Amino acid sequence: MKVVIVGCGRVGAALAAQLARESHDVHVIDREQAARRRLPPRFPGRFQAGNGFSRSILEQAGIARSDAVVAVTSSDNSNLVIARIAKETFRVPTVLAHVHDPRRANLYQGLGIPTVCDVTWSVHRIHQMLLHRHLVPDVTFGNGETLLVRSALPAYLAGRKLSEFEVDGEIRVVEVTRDGRSLMPRQNTTAAPGDVVTFVVAAHCLHRLRAFLDKELGT
């Protein structure tokens, strides 16, 4: 992906470093040139000093061609402006914002902008929301190490035992919604067309669950 990150504080720098390690095209913007020091010495992405809600700065960063914009500055107001510009002006497919004051989260949500509030797991949460868009966790536990995820089950898995989808210590099936009714699966419960399955998954194994489901989802 091509990702523009506005804000090179602890969250922005850590997220940029992680995405760059995964070979994504990362462009970081921060008001202070000195913020560049928070990035790794051999950071392969680009850094630009400037005002993150300046349209000219965003255009120089390639926002018009970006797959995602992440606003993680120290100001909630700035993050809202940046997110709205990215979403409404440049039509960026994925726009995420960090919110320092949880009371403002509803404002962002009302504008269709997903938010992250808790600093302790912001990097992991944003990373998951960027790379696993159809598997955004409904609930997280601890500091984000364990996730509760719901997903429609691909049709090609119908007839297989739900217990076959589990990986010890990594993925567990805890609930199935079938024909509008919820049930707790038994060891011999088989998947049916249209099932929506609730998984408990270790955060570091989310990619494994996604790969398992993507054959039919096509994402």
Side-chain angles (χ1 to χ4, degrees):
M1 291 193 303
K2 177 175 176 55
V3 183
V4 176
I5 298 174
V6 185
C8 195
R10 286 187 302 163
V11 173
L15 179 64
Q18 181 170 351
L19 290 172
R21 284 195 302 270
E22 296 168 351
S23 300
H24 297 288
D25 182 358
V26 184
H27 193 120
V28 181
I29 301 171
D30 196 279
R31 293 178 61 182
E32 303 294 335
Q33 180 66 40
R36 172 68 176 80
R37 293 198 295 264
R38 297 191 180 98
L39 296 169
R42 296 183 180 179
F43 178 65
R46 287 158 291 169
F47 177 88
Q48 183 173 2
N51 191 326
F53 51 79
S54 163
R55 297 190 186 191
S56 62
I57 293 293
L58 291 170
E59 288 173 345
Q60 291 173 35
I63 190 172
R65 303 181 304 280
S66 66
D67 300 298
V69 169
V70 182
V72 285
T73 75
S74 59
S75 166
D76 283 354
N77 289 334
S78 294
N79 289 343
L80 178 58
V81 172
I82 294 161
R84 292 195 67 177
I85 292 173
K87 183 178 180 64
E88 298 172 7
T89 302
F90 292 99
R91 307 293 183 184
V92 177
T94 302
V95 179
L96 307 175
H98 187 269
V99 180
H100 300 271
D101 183 353
R103 293 173 298 181
R104 299 190 181 190
N106 288 337
L107 173 61
Y108 286 74
Q109 298 290 355
L111 296 170
I113 301 169
T115 62
V116 176
C117 297
D118 193 329
V119 174
T120 59
W121 55 275
S122 292
V123 173
H124 299 293
R125 172 68 163 161
I126 293 172
H127 183 263
Q128 291 157 11
M129 293 170 77
L130 283 173
L131 301 185
H132 309 292
R133 290 182 291 279
H134 71 272
L135 291 180
V136 175
D138 287 342
V139 179
T140 63
F141 302 95
N143 289 325
E145 298 89 352
T146 304
L147 314 171
L148 191 71
V149 177
R150 286 172 59 79
S151 176
L153 205 62
Y156 80 97
L157 295 175
R160 291 179 56 178
K161 290 183 180 180
L162 292 173
S163 58
E164 295 179 22
F165 309 155
E166 301 184 342
V167 179
D168 191 36
E170 297 181 357
I171 301 171
R172 188 171 300 278
V173 177
V174 295
E175 184 271 348
V176 180
T177 300
R178 179 176 296 169
D179 297 327
R181 301 187 64 182
S182 176
L183 62 93
M184 293 182 63
R186 301 176 181 273
Q187 280 295 108
N188 62 349
T189 300
T190 58
D195 279 356
V196 176
V197 179
T198 303
F199 299 90
V200 172
V201 56
H204 67 277
C205 297
L206 194 60
H207 69 285
R208 185 170 184 174
L209 178 59
R210 183 188 186 192
F212 181 65
L213 298 173
D214 274 358
K215 181 177 177 181
E216 282 287 319
L217 293 176
T219 56

